[in-house]
Amino acid sequence: MAHLLENSIIAGPAVDPMLPKPYRIQRLRHETHDTFTVELAPENSDKQFSFLPGQFNMIYVFGVGEVPISISSNPQNSQTFQHTTRIVGVVTRAMVHLKKGDVLGVRGPYGTHWPIEEAEGRDVIILSGGIGLAPLRPALYHLMAQRKKYHKIVLLYGARTCEDILYRRELERWRSKFDLEIQVSVDRGTRGWRGEVGVVTTLIGRSPFDPSNAIALACGPEVMMRFAVMEFQRRGLASENIYLSMERNMKCAIGFCGHCQYGSAFICKDGPVFRFDRIESIFYKAEI
Ligand SMILES: Cc1cc2nc3c(=O)[nH]c(=O)nc-3n(C[C@H](O)[C@H](O)[C@H](O)COP(=O)(O)OP(=O)(O)OC[C@H]3O[C@@H](n4cnc5c(N)ncnc54)[C@H](O)[C@@H]3O)c2cc1C
């Protein structure tokens, strides 16, 4: 007992990991007809926020509910951070109606991150579909800030139509300013679109990377990721050089409740970013 008491005194008061902290909305920008980006800063402005590319926060809309959303901003900015969200249901629909000055609850950052250190000295190929570009944007900021450490950087991005392209202006700026190859493909070409039409995974076969010295990072709908893995492997990329960010419904985000169980792993703490060889045995099974 004395021993326990001693330990609790040393450890100080326990912080409840389920308690969200208040963050104030600095900006809410509409990206496309069904996506938006919120920029948040802590209520206590002395606090800084640091995260690694690929990690996520639990975002609580007071009185409505809590959802996992990846951090989509530049990891070098510790004053504010951003979340880019697609409106799909109850919480995300409530979120889009908030405005500058409103407060959200935040828990995090949680989860594993993109292998930005392992990628040094290699070609990096980034594949994303739809809102899947949001969790990869912090990795892109990092790669560009440290451009000399990497060989070729290729971004393959797929959207439903040209109106659904996320961060359009930023992609144009990156393309003109940085040594970065960007290829965008849309599922349905509309008038005025002069780029690629078709599923984004078809770009993998002709993209300029050396499979013997490359690492691939992918995030998007699961069907896209299945074809992506097939195409990467067809190009000769080993399973241990393919990283995927996986999604499941989630509640606690700290490995207790089991809502996000994926085989023997929990997406919240063993993921969301997984090295493919670690999930290969369950990846193709339905209903996992
Ligand atoms: C680690 C992680 C990171 C994520 N990052 C982002 C992000 O950056 N941007 C973004 O827009 N979304 C992201 N998501 C998905 C996001 O959490 C869900 O869209 C959100 O929880 C939906 O909540 P809702 O209350 O608006 O919809 P609900 O009313 O809960 O659900 C609407 C529909 O979507 C389904 N659904 C809800 N959550 C998920 C999920 N996680 N996977 C599959 N189906 C789901 C429901 O079953 C239902 O059919 C992420 C999810 C995870 C697990």
Side-chain angles (χ1 to χ4, degrees):
M1 181 67 181
H3 172 71
L4 280 179
L5 203 60
E6 216 170 79
N7 277 349
S8 70
I9 290 166
I10 293 167
V15 179
D16 185 347
M18 296 301 289
L19 203 64
K21 292 200 179 75
Y23 281 72
R24 204 168 280 279
I25 297 179
Q26 308 298 304
R27 215 151 55 113
L28 192 148
R29 188 182 59 241
H30 291 267
E31 302 281 357
T32 65
H33 77 283
D34 65 350
T35 58
F36 62 96
T37 298
V38 280
E39 183 162 334
L40 297 170
E43 271 290 74
N44 175 353
S45 56
D46 301 341
K47 289 245 170 68
Q48 300 225 320
F49 185 88
S50 60
F51 69 97
L52 290 164
Q55 289 192 297
F56 68 95
N57 280 325
M58 293 301 286
I59 301 294
Y60 182 40
V61 182
F62 292 104
V64 182
E66 194 180 41
V67 287
I69 305 287
S70 303
I71 307 160
S72 64
S73 48
N74 189 338
Q76 283 184 330
N77 183 356
S78 56
Q79 305 301 318
T80 64
F81 56 90
Q82 298 177 354
H83 288 287
T84 304
T85 306
R86 167 165 288 151
I87 306 159
V88 294
V90 179
V91 179
T92 49
R93 194 157 291 132
M95 239 171 118
V96 75
H97 290 117
L98 297 174
K99 54 190 185 314
K100 184 178 174 182
D102 287 344
V103 173
L104 282 168
V106 175
R107 294 192 289 127
Y110 294 130
T112 52
H113 59 91
W114 296 112
I116 45 183
E117 305 88 6
E118 288 88 329
E120 286 182 14
R122 302 160 84 174
D123 291 348
V124 187
I125 170 143
I126 291 181
L127 179 87
S128 58
I131 193 75
L133 185 55
L136 281 159
R137 187 162 75 143
L140 280 158
Y141 281 122
H142 175 88
L143 297 175
M144 282 179 286
Q146 308 282 324
R147 184 64 191 88
K148 287 202 179 85
K149 292 188 180 168
Y150 302 92
H151 283 174
K152 277 189 190 122
I153 302 177
V154 181
L155 168 63
L156 309 178
Y157 176 48
R160 280 177 289 201
T161 70
C162 62
E163 276 81 40
D164 295 300
I165 295 171
L166 270 185
Y167 315 131
R168 201 177 177 135
R169 280 208 203 121
E170 198 166 40
L171 293 180
E172 279 160 13
R173 190 155 44 82
W174 286 348
R175 187 183 260 152
S176 61
K177 192 168 162 207
F178 293 98
D179 177 15
L180 163 72
E181 163 127 9
I182 301 182
Q183 294 178 29
V184 179
S185 182
V186 296
D187 296 343
R188 292 189 305 280
T190 42
R191 259 179 54 180
W193 174 254
R194 292 193 301 275
E196 297 278 345
V197 177
V199 289
V200 62
T201 47
T202 57
L203 300 176
I204 296 172
R206 48 200 158 94
S207 65
F209 66 93
D210 170 10
S212 67
N213 188 33
I215 201 159
L217 321 180
C219 184
E222 250 171 74
V223 60
M224 179 209 88
M225 298 217 273
R226 278 168 209 232
F227 283 100
V229 167
M230 273 164 47
E231 289 298 323
F232 282 133
Q233 291 180 330
R234 217 196 305 268
R235 281 287 304 266
L237 207 59
S239 296
E240 61 264 31
N241 293 326
I242 302 171
Y243 287 78
L244 308 178
S245 185
M246 304 296 292
E247 273 189 23
R248 284 293 178 276
N249 274 331
M250 203 172 271
K251 289 283 175 216
C252 77
I254 49 174
F256 283 132
C257 73
H259 258 78
C260 64
Q261 187 154 7
Y262 184 60
S264 61
F266 283 171
I267 301 266
C268 64
K269 67 177 180 61
D270 306 310
V273 177
F274 289 93
R275 209 174 85 175
F276 183 62
D277 58 326
R278 302 207 169 122
I279 53 169
E280 197 160 6
S281 59
I282 55 169
F283 185 70
Y284 297 103
K285 289 192 182 144
E287 305 293 323
I288 285 218

